[in-house]
Amino acid sequence: MKRIKFLLPILFLALGMTAFAQNTTVKGMVTTSDGEPLVGAYVLIKGTTTGVMSDMEGAFTLTAPASGTLVVAFLGMQTKEVPVAPTVTVSLEQDREFLKEVVVTAMGISREKKALGYATQAVQSDELTTAAATDLASAMSGKVSGLQIKPSSGMPGASTQIVIRGARSFTGNNSPLYVIDGMPIASTPDLSTDQSVTGADYATRALDIDPNDIESVNILKGQAASALYGMRASNGVIVITTKSGKNLTSTRPSVTFNSTFAWSTLSAKPEVQTEFAQGSGGVFNPNTSLNWGPEISTLADDPNYGGNTANAYTAGGTELHPGQYYVPQRAAAGLDPWATPQAYDNIGDFFQVGFTQSNNVSVAQNLGRGEYSFSLGNTHQTGIVPSTGMERFNAKLNASAKLGKYFTTGASANFVMTDVNKQSGANDGITAMVFGAPASYDLKGIPSHKKDHPEQQNTYRATGGFPAPYWAIENNTFKEKSQRFFGNAYLDFRYPFTPDMFLDLKYQIGDDAYTTTYTDVFGYGMSNGQGEIDEMSYTSNELNSLFTASFDWKITPDLHLNILYGNEVVYNQTSFVDAWGQGFNFSGWNNLNNASNYASSISRYRYLSFGNFYNIALDWKSILYFNTTGRYDLVSKMPRGSRGFFYPSVSLGFVFTEIEPLRNNVLTFGKLRASYAEVGMAGQYYKSFYSVPSYGGGFYSGSPVSYPLNGIVAYSPYSVLYDENLRPQNTRSYEVGAELAFWEGLVSLEYTYSRQLVKDQIFEVPLAGSTGYQYKMMNAGSIHTDAHELTLGINPVRTRDVNLNFDFNFTKIDNYVDELAEGVESIYLGGFTEPQVRAGIGDKFPVIYGVGYVRDPEGHVVVDEDGLPEIGEEKVIGSVSPDFQLGLTTSLEVFKVRLSATFDWKCGGQMYCGSYTMMDYYGTSKRSGEYRKMEKFLFDEEAGAVKRTADGGYAPNDIYISGSDAYDYYDRLNYISESFVHDTSFLKLRELSLSYPFTFGKRVSLTLSAFARNLILWSNLKGFDPEASQGNNNMGGAFERFSLPGASSYGFGLTLKF
Amino acid sequence: MKKLLYLSLAAACLTVFASCSDDALDAVNADLNHPQTADAKFVFADLCLSSAFNVAGGDFNTYLGVAVEHWGGCHNQLFKADQRDGEWISSSCFDNAWTQTYKAISDARTIIAKCDPNSGTTDAGNTALASAAKVLLAYDSAVLTDLFGDAPYSQACDYDNYKTPDLDKQEDIYKTIFTLLDEAIAGLEDAGSIGTGSYDFIYGGKADKWLKFAYGLRARLKMHNILRAADKAAAYASILSDIENSFESAEDQASFTQYDGVNNLNPLFAFWIAREAIAASGSLYDKLAEREDPRLAMIYCYPWMGWFNPTDPEEEFDPVPNGEGIEAQEWYTDDVYLYAVDAPTHLLSYAELQYLKAEVLARTGIYTEARAALKEALAATFVNVNVNVKSSCNFTDTQGYGVYGPNYDGDYLTPADAEAYAARVFDTLDDAELLAEIMVQKYLFFHNANGGSVEAFNDVRRLKAEGGEAAEFIALANPNNATKFPLRCGYGSSDTTTNPNIKNAFGDGSYVYTENVWWAGGKR
C-alpha cells in the first residue's frame, strides 16, 4: 500500500501546469467524516506540483493562488477539491471500494487491481471473522474461486488443505505459499499422515494464524501472479496483510476487543437400527462385531444368555432372571451381569457438545511519524469427541517509523503457542466401535475395562485392532504443542530524483522459528499389547533475507514504467527428533520412561536458496498494462548441474472501456487479460544411502521387531533410489480472463480460464518389487489442469439504509494425470493395501482404486446365482475431484442490521466411505435393519444389474435376495470396495451470521453477532459429513474410514471498539 | 561454529549477489542422517532377520497355514482366504511378502558383491561370509520360486540394467540355487568363522553350522525337484548323503531365536495379536484325534481364556470348519501356538530333516531305518511342541491372561510320551502304510509357531503332483479345494502395476488355482 501513497502525488502533480498570480496563505485542517484529524493527507494546488502533507493534528499550511483550487487526497478516502480560502476544513469520506481496488501482489508490491494481467482475489477482515472460524482455511471456504479447501474433520486443530487450481505434484506439496506482511512462513504440516490409516491427524502450521489478526488476504492464483516468489510459489500464494496502524486516520489509539463463544455438535448423525441385537445369523453372540442377531426384545429368551431359559448362567434354569439376559462384559466389569434388553443411543451418548471461546484484543495507533499495532488473542476449544481440544495464544506487534526524509524502518513480531489434543482414526479409529456399536450394547454404561484391570479393555468385540472408545479416550493420547516466533525488520530508502522519478531500496530480514512436540500414545492394553509411545520434536528455523530495488518513472503522462530488482536468500534448517518406546513395564503410566524398548533417531535437514528476480511494469494511458517477471533460483537440494533455473512470466491487461468510443454507462469497466508463466519446483535429492531397516505395516500393528535387536543394529540399502539426473519440475501456465463491471458495479463479473501443464514431476516412482527397491525419486509424469473460475457480484440494492449483495464464486478444476513413469500406470497416495487412493494415467487426480464389481460390456453389475454382485478385479472405482464448486456469499444490511450467509455447493466427486458402508456390514445402520425385514430385494435395483445366462450372455437381474439373507448381501458388498464409493456432493451453509453495531457517542461501538457454521443442508451421504476424511496430504478428501467426524457450530460474538 | 559458517556463507552470497559454488551447496545438502554404505556384516544381520521374519515366518506362512489347514481363517483377509473368496487371486495379497523376498535377495547379493576379492571394500575376500550369504540367498530364492513359480530372477535386483525384470523359468532358477549351494559348501568347508560375530543372528558366525545348513537345505530342495529328477535313485542317495552332512541335532538347526516376546515378536504371534484373524483348524484336530495324539492336550485354548483338552467331552470345542466357517473373532477355539510370543522361526529344522530322511528311506524301501528316522523326528517334534507351548505360557503369564497349561513348569511332552506314541502309532503300521504316516507326521510337525506351513504347503503340492495314493496322504477338508486349491501364490502388485512382464503373467490371477509350478508338473 505504501507505494500507492507515493504514486498518488505524482499522479496529482501531473494533472496540469497552469500559471498563477496572486498568492494567499491557506491554513487548513483535514479530518475524517467523524471529525477525527487525518494525518498525512496530501494537499496539492490543482494544476501544480506544489503540495504539503497534513501533520499530526491534521493541520497544514501552504501558500496558494487566491483563485486556485486545492486537491486533498488520502489513501482509502475519496479525493476532494476545495477552493482556496484563508482557512479551510476538509472532511474526507471513506472510499468504500478502495480496499477492493488495490491489492498487495508479490513481494509487497501494491497495485491497482485493474492493472493486473492475471487473476487474484481478495478477502477482507470482516468476511473472515463473520462466523468466528478459528482457522484461516475454514474462514475462506466458499469465498474464493479457484480454490479447493479440504477440511479433514470437525476436530479442533484438524488439518485443512488448500489447493489452488488443482494439484501440481502427485505426492509432494500442493499447498500455496503463505506470505505474512511480506515474509513467507511455514504453513504445511510438519508431519505427514502418510498412508493415513493409523493414528491421529497432524495439524498444519497455518493453524498458527489467528484470523482476527488479519486485515486482508489476497490470493495469487496463477503462476504469473506468484512467479516472483520463485519455486516455492508454484502452488500459488496466499498474501496476508495483518492489521496495522497505517490506515488509522487519527492519532489517538484505537482499541478493539473481540470475543466469540460457540458450541459445536456432530454435523451429521448416522441413523441406526434399534431392533436387532448383537450376533450373527439371528443368534445372539455377545462378542462379535456383527449386529445381525435376534430382535433385542427376545434376548431374555436366548438359549445361551437369556434369563428366561435354562443355560449355564441360570444354573441350568434354577436361577432364572426373568426378562433379563446375561451380559458377560457387565460381569467382567464387576457389575450385576443381568440386564434388561433395550436399545441404546451409543452414538448420541459418545459425542459431546464442543465449546469454543475466542478473545482478541488489539491496540493500534498512528503516530504520524510512525505507527504501531499490538494484539493478543486466545482461542480455547473443546471438540465433540471427548479428550480433543485446542488452545492457542497469539501475540503480535507491528511498528514502523519514518526516519527523516528518505528512510522508513519497521518491524513485526509474532509469537504463537498452539496446543492440540486429538484422537485417532481408521485402523485405530476411536469411532469404529461407536458407529459399529450394537444397539443392544450399553457402550457408555458398561465400564470399558475389566474390573481391577484398567489396562484390559472390556467391550462388545475383540480389541485386537480397534480400541474400545471410552477406554481409548482415557488411555490413548495424541498431543501437539507448538511454540513459534516469526517476524521481520526492514529499512526502506525512498529517493525522488524528480517528481516523476524515484528510487526505492528496501532490505528486510526475517525469521520463522518454531518447535512442535508431538506425543502419540497408545496406552498399555491397546490391541491387547503393552502400549506404544512416540515422542517427536520438530524444530524449524527459516531465515529470509530480501533486498528489493525499485525504480519508478513516469516517462510521459501516458506512459509509466516501474522496474524492480530483487534478491532473496532463504536458509532453512529443520530437525526432527523421534523417541519411540513400546511395551510399558506396568499399566497406569503411559510414559516413555516406562517403556521396555526404546528407539530414537534424529533427522536434520538444511536448505539454502538464492533467488534473483526482476519485475518490469509498463502502463499506457490506463488502457494497457504490461508486466513481465523473471526469477533465477539456485537451490541446494538438487544435484549438481540442476541447481539453477530461470522462470519467466508475462502478462497483459487491456482496459478496453478506457478507449473513448467504447465508454458507456452500462459496461462501466471492462478488461481483458492474458498471461503466461513458468515456475519450477525442486525435489529433494540425496546420494542413495543405507538405513536401519524397519519392520511393520501390512498386517502388523506397530513394529513387531525393531533395531537395535539384542544390541545389534543393521544397515541395508534404503528402499528408495535417488536419480542423479533429477531436474526441477516445471509448471507452464496460460491464463486468460475478463473483468467486467456493469452499471457502476451493480453487477461485476470476473472470469478466468487457465491451463497448467506440469512436466517432469518429481516423485517417488514406484518400482517393481523384483528390482529389490521400492521407489526411485525421479522426474516422471505430467499432469494438466484446466481451471475455470468465475466470480459474480451483484449488488441489486444499494441505498443508504439497505444494501444487498450476492457474491458467487464458481470453480471448475479438471486435473488430469497424463503420464507417469514408464511402465507405471498408477501411484499410491495412501490408504490400505486395498483399497487405496492413487494417481492414475488418464484419470482425474486422484482416484480410488480397489476391488470393483464385475460388469457386463454395457457396464451393468453382474450378479451371481444368489443375486449377489460378483467380486471383480482391482481397478479404478471412484474419482475424487468434484465436477465443480460454487460458493455464494450474500449479505443484507438493513439499517445496520447485517445478515450474511455463505453457502458452499460441491457438485460431484466421490469418496471411499468406510464408516458409512461398514455400518451396513456390521448391521448397525438403519438401512441394514430395513433390508433384513424386507421379504426380498434385488441388488441395485435402480441401476439394473444383470445375471449370466447359459449361453454366456447376460440378462436383466431377476434373482431376488431374501431379506433374511441381508447379511450375506452386505457381507458380499464388504468384499467389493466399489460398494464403499459414494458421491459426496453436498450443499452446506458454511456460515450464517447476524450482527448489529451499537454506537455510543462518536468513538465507541459495540457490535453483537450471532452465527452458525457448517450446517449440512443436503448431502448424498446421509448421516455423515461428506468432508470428514483421512489424511493431511494429497489423499485428503478421498478416503474415510472411522475418521473423526465433522462438526457444526453455533455461537455469538461481540466486538467492542473505542 | 558450523552454523556460523553457513550463515556467513549465506551472507556472503547475499552481498556478492553471485551464485554459490557447487561445493558449498553440496555441503549444505549433505545427507546428515544416513551412511552412504555399511560393512557387509550390518547387511548380513538384517538378511538373517528378514529371511526369518519376512520370508519364513511372515505372510507366506500365515496364508499358507490356512491353505494347508494348520489353522482356519476367521476374520477379514484370512477368512476370505479360507473361503477362497478373492485374496489368492489378488495381486495385493502377497505383495508385501513378494517385495520383502526380493529385498532379501538383493541384500544377499550386495553382501556377496562386497565380499568379492576385487570389491575394494573392507569385506573384500571374505569368502566365508559370501558363502553364508549364498546359503540364505539360496533359501530366499527357493521360497520365491517354490511359491511363485517362474519369477524375475537373473534380471531381478539389478535396477541399473533391468527396470522391469523379465521372468526366469523355475527350472533355471533352481539351477542357480544349486550352484549357489555348491559354491557355499565349497566356501564353508574349511572356514572357521564367517567374521560377523553376533551380527550373524542365526549361528553367531560359526562357519561349520552354516555348512550343515547348506547341506540340509540342498537336501530339502532336491526333494522339491524329485518329480523332475532324471535318476530318482541317485537323487534319493544324494539327499540322504546331504542329510548325513547336515544337522546332528536340534542344536545345529537353522533357527532364528532372537525374539524376546516383548519388543521383538514371533511373526505368527505379531500377526495374530494385531488381527485375531485365525483360529484352530477343524481338519488338523481330526488328524490328531484320530491318533489320540498327546498334543491335543497341549495346543488348544479358549480365546484369551483357559487351556483345555478337547477330548474331554465336557469341553466346548469349536475349531474353524475349514472353508465353511463364519467370520467372527474370538469365536472359535484358539490354537495356543498363536500365543507363542517368542517362539523361534525355523529356516530349516532338525526334525524336518529327520522326516525327510524317513521319507526317502521309506520311498527306497529301507523301512527299519525309516521307522528309526521317524521316531527321531517325532522326538524332536515333541521337544519343539514344548518350546512353542512354553512360549505361549510366557506371553499369557506376563499379560495376566488365563491361558495356562496343565503342567506349567514342567515338560509338557516327555521322551517317554514320544516312545509310547511311536510304539502305538508307527509300529503297528504295515510298511506300505509307513510313507503316508511319515508325511502326516511331518505335516503335524509343521503345524507350529516356527514358520512350518510354507514347507508343509510344498509337501502337499509335491504329493498331489505325484498323484495316486500320495495325493491323498495329507487329507484336507476345505470343500472349496475341489476347484480352488491354491497351487501357488500370486505375483505381487508392486510388479503387476509396474512391470509389464509380470502384469501379463498374472493376468486376472486365476492361474493360482489352475497352474502348478514346474516342479509339481506345471509349465510355469
Side-chain angles (χ1 to χ4, degrees), chain A residues 613-821:
Chain A
F613 54 88
Y614 74 83
N615 184 75
I616 299 171
L618 198 60
D619 303 352
W620 182 69
K621 272 192 162 178
S622 301
I623 294 174
L624 281 178
Y625 294 90
F626 172 78
N627 201 76
T628 174
T629 69
R631 176 157 171 147
Y632 182 80
D633 273 326
L634 186 69
V635 299
S636 64
K637 60 185 179 183
M638 294 290 283
R640 280 179 180 237
S642 298
R643 284 193 169 127
F645 20 93
F646 176 76
Y647 298 108
S649 86
V650 284
S651 70
L652 187 68
F654 172 40
V655 183
F656 59 85
T657 46
E658 289 289 313
I659 298 171
E660 199 53 51
L662 295 178
R663 288 195 185 189
N664 65 82
N665 293 327
V666 178
L667 181 62
T668 44
F669 177 79
K671 181 174 90 174
L672 298 174
R673 50 181 163 74
S675 68
Y676 169 79
E678 290 181 19
V679 184
M681 242 175 172
Q684 174 64 62
Y685 168 79
Y686 286 122
K687 283 183 179 160
S688 294
F689 55 84
Y690 279 44
S691 69
V692 179
S694 62
Y695 288 73
F699 283 123
Y700 305 112
S701 57
S703 302
V705 285
S706 56
Y707 292 107
L709 179 66
N710 297 329
I712 298 288
V713 174
Y715 290 91
S716 72
Y718 188 54
S719 58
V720 181
L721 290 169
Y722 289 82
D723 189 350
E724 289 173 6
N725 301 312
L726 206 61
R727 303 178 301 278
Q729 92 174 39
N730 188 17
T731 302
R732 280 187 296 152
S733 75
Y734 307 83
E735 177 184 319
V736 290
E739 290 167 34
L740 308 171
F742 300 90
W743 302 291
E744 297 289 350
L746 193 69
V747 175
S748 60
L749 182 72
E750 190 170 334
Y751 167 77
T752 306
Y753 165 76
S754 63
R755 185 175 177 90
Q756 278 177 40
L757 299 160
V758 188
K759 279 192 4 189
D760 290 337
Q761 268 174 323
I762 299 172
F763 65 100
E764 289 184 354
V765 173
L767 301 181
S770 59
T771 61
Y773 291 94
Q774 289 182 37
Y775 299 100
K776 183 173 186 183
M777 183 69 85
M778 61 187 281
N779 294 94
S782 58
I783 189 165
H784 82 264
T785 305
D786 289 318
H788 300 268
E789 292 148 29
L790 187 72
T791 60
L792 172 66
I794 307 173
N795 191 190
V797 184
R798 189 167 45 170
T799 68
R800 192 185 142 85
D801 297 320
V802 182
N803 195 343
L804 177 64
N805 253 307
F806 297 96
D807 287 303
F808 293 90
N809 288 298
F810 172 86
T811 303
K812 179 169 173 58
I813 292 170
D814 293 319
N815 203 192
Y816 283 96
V817 178
D818 298 322
E819 198 188 324
L820 292 168

Side-chain angles (χ1 to χ4, degrees), chain A residues 102-124:
Chain A
V102 174
V103 290
V104 181
T105 65
M107 293 296 168
I109 302 168
S110 295
R111 298 205 75 185
E112 278 184 282
K113 190 160 188 286
K114 72 172 185 180
L116 303 179
Y118 44 76
T120 71
Q121 193 170 354
V123 186
Q124 304 303 325

Side-chain angles (χ1 to χ4, degrees), chain B residues 292-353:
Chain B
E292 294 172 26
D293 197 300
R295 278 171 281 200
L296 282 172
M298 324 299 308
I299 60 166
Y300 293 112
C301 67
Y302 291 113
W304 302 98
M305 315 236 312
W307 202 303
F308 66 83
N309 182 344
T311 55
D312 179 344
E314 295 290 299
E315 299 283 3
E316 201 180 323
F317 184 67
D318 191 12
V320 177
N322 310 87
E324 297 180 302
I326 59 161
E327 186 170 7
Q329 289 168 294
E330 299 189 8
W331 172 255
Y332 291 111
T333 301
D334 266 349
D335 182 324
V336 294
Y337 291 156
L338 304 178
Y339 296 76
V341 62
D342 58 356
T345 299
H346 301 325
L347 278 71
L348 185 69
S349 62
Y350 175 68
E352 179 190 333
L353 285 186

Side-chain angles (χ1 to χ4, degrees), chain B residues 203-469:
Chain B
Y203 287 129
K206 294 180 185 126
D208 57 332
K209 303 251 178 179
W210 282 101
L211 180 62
K212 287 177 182 173
F213 180 20
Y215 276 116
L217 182 60
R218 194 165 69 175
R220 175 204 268 189
L221 301 182
K222 282 175 182 168
M223 199 63 183
H224 286 182
N225 286 279
I226 197 73
L227 296 180
R228 294 286 186 181
D231 180 351
K232 283 203 175 54
Y236 287 140
S238 88
I239 290 169
L240 288 174
S241 151
D242 280 349
I243 293 171
E244 289 314 306
N245 285 316
S246 187
F247 309 144
E248 289 165 42
S249 72
E251 293 287 295
D252 290 340
Q253 65 193 6
S255 199
F256 185 91
T257 57
Q258 307 281 335
Y259 310 119
D260 62 8
V262 181
N263 304 312
N264 296 303
L265 309 175
N266 170 287
L268 181 65
F269 174 83
F271 164 79
W272 178 80
I273 195 78
R275 300 283 160 167
E276 295 190 63
I278 46 181
S281 155
S283 75
L284 184 100
Y285 166 78
D286 293 341
K287 291 183 184 63
L288 293 169
E290 195 185 315
R291 290 164 176 77
E292 294 172 26
D293 197 300
R295 278 171 281 200
L296 282 172
M298 324 299 308
I299 60 166
Y300 293 112
C301 67
Y302 291 113
W304 302 98
M305 315 236 312
W307 202 303
F308 66 83
N309 182 344
T311 55
D312 179 344
E314 295 290 299
E315 299 283 3
E316 201 180 323
F317 184 67
D318 191 12
V320 177
N322 310 87
E324 297 180 302
I326 59 161
E327 186 170 7
Q329 289 168 294
E330 299 189 8
W331 172 255
Y332 291 111
T333 301
D334 266 349
D335 182 324
V336 294
Y337 291 156
L338 304 178
Y339 296 76
V341 62
D342 58 356
T345 299
H346 301 325
L347 278 71
L348 185 69
S349 62
Y350 175 68
E352 179 190 333
L353 285 186
Q354 294 308 308
Y355 283 114
L356 183 58
K357 182 177 172 184
E359 181 190 351
V360 174
L361 290 169
R363 283 181 182 277
T364 46
I366 311 171
Y367 295 109
T368 311
E369 281 87 344
R371 282 198 168 78
L374 180 56
K375 276 184 190 169
E376 178 63 19
L378 187 81
T381 299
F382 278 20
V383 170
N384 198 57
V385 168
N386 292 342
V387 168
N388 288 331
V389 171
K390 267 185 191 164
S391 175
S392 305
C393 291
N394 286 345
F395 167 66
T396 52
D397 186 25
T398 55
Q399 296 295 301
Y401 293 100
V403 194
Y404 298 108
N407 196 8
Y408 179 54
D409 289 321
D411 275 343
Y412 299 89
L413 294 170
T414 62
D417 289 336
E419 285 290 334
Y421 183 70
R424 184 162 53 76
V425 178
F426 314 146
D427 294 348
T428 57
L429 286 178
D430 294 340
D431 287 347
E433 294 168 327
L434 187 61
L435 180 60
E437 186 61 22
I438 290 167
M439 296 320 293
V440 172
Q441 287 299 331
K442 188 181 182 194
Y443 166 84
L444 293 175
F445 159 71
F446 279 138
H447 168 240
N448 56 34
N450 319 111
S453 299
V454 174
E455 190 56 16
F457 177 66
N458 289 334
D459 282 345
V460 168
R461 288 187 299 167
R462 178 162 60 84
L463 295 173
K464 275 179 183 284
E466 187 182 344
E469 283 185 340

Side-chain angles (χ1 to χ4, degrees), chain B residues 510-523:
Chain B
S510 60
Y511 75 105
V512 302
Y513 291 134
T514 57
E515 296 203 40
N516 270 306
V517 298
W518 168 80
W519 60 243
K523 293 197 175 86

Side-chain angles (χ1 to χ4, degrees), chain A residues 285 530 597 640 643 707, chain B residues 23 26 33 46 263 331 399:
Chain A
N285 172 355
Q530 285 174 243
N597 185 32
R640 280 179 180 237
R643 284 193 169 127
Y707 292 107
Chain B
D23 287 343
D26 277 349
N33 308 308
D46 192 57
N263 304 312
W331 172 255
Q399 296 295 301

Side-chain angles (χ1 to χ4, degrees), chain B residues 80-272:
Chain B
K80 293 182 196 175
D82 205 29
Q83 302 285 316
R84 309 286 190 263
D85 215 342
E87 288 306 299
W88 302 99
I89 57 163
S90 158
S91 62
S92 55
C93 184
F94 288 103
D95 185 55
N96 286 340
W98 167 265
T99 307
Q100 287 157 356
T101 305
Y102 276 107
K103 166 72 174 156
I105 288 171
S106 178
D107 286 351
R109 291 185 184 170
T110 298
I111 296 163
I112 294 165
K114 280 178 188 285
C115 296
D116 184 274
N118 301 317
S119 71
T121 71
T122 51
D123 296 300
N126 187 348
T127 312
L129 178 54
S131 301
K134 283 175 185 173
V135 178
L136 286 175
L137 176 57
Y139 173 81
D140 293 325
S141 306
V143 172
L144 178 83
T145 189
D146 287 343
L147 300 185
F148 295 104
D150 293 357
Y153 195 69
S154 58
Q155 296 184 355
C157 306
D158 184 9
Y159 179 79
D160 287 343
N161 296 310
Y162 303 102
K163 311 267 186 286
T164 55
D166 204 352
L167 294 96
D168 290 44
K169 302 303 292 177
Q170 183 175 64
E171 186 176 6
D172 296 326
I173 298 173
Y174 256 107
K175 279 180 189 156
T176 309
I177 290 170
F178 285 119
T179 306
L180 283 168
L181 286 173
D182 295 346
E183 289 170 3
I185 287 166
L188 289 161
E189 282 294 353
D190 300 315
S193 153
I194 62 168
T196 56
S198 49
Y199 284 82
D200 170 3
F201 282 134
I202 295 172
Y203 287 129
K206 294 180 185 126
D208 57 332
K209 303 251 178 179
W210 282 101
L211 180 62
K212 287 177 182 173
F213 180 20
Y215 276 116
L217 182 60
R218 194 165 69 175
R220 175 204 268 189
L221 301 182
K222 282 175 182 168
M223 199 63 183
H224 286 182
N225 286 279
I226 197 73
L227 296 180
R228 294 286 186 181
D231 180 351
K232 283 203 175 54
Y236 287 140
S238 88
I239 290 169
L240 288 174
S241 151
D242 280 349
I243 293 171
E244 289 314 306
N245 285 316
S246 187
F247 309 144
E248 289 165 42
S249 72
E251 293 287 295
D252 290 340
Q253 65 193 6
S255 199
F256 185 91
T257 57
Q258 307 281 335
Y259 310 119
D260 62 8
V262 181
N263 304 312
N264 296 303
L265 309 175
N266 170 287
L268 181 65
F269 174 83
F271 164 79
W272 178 80

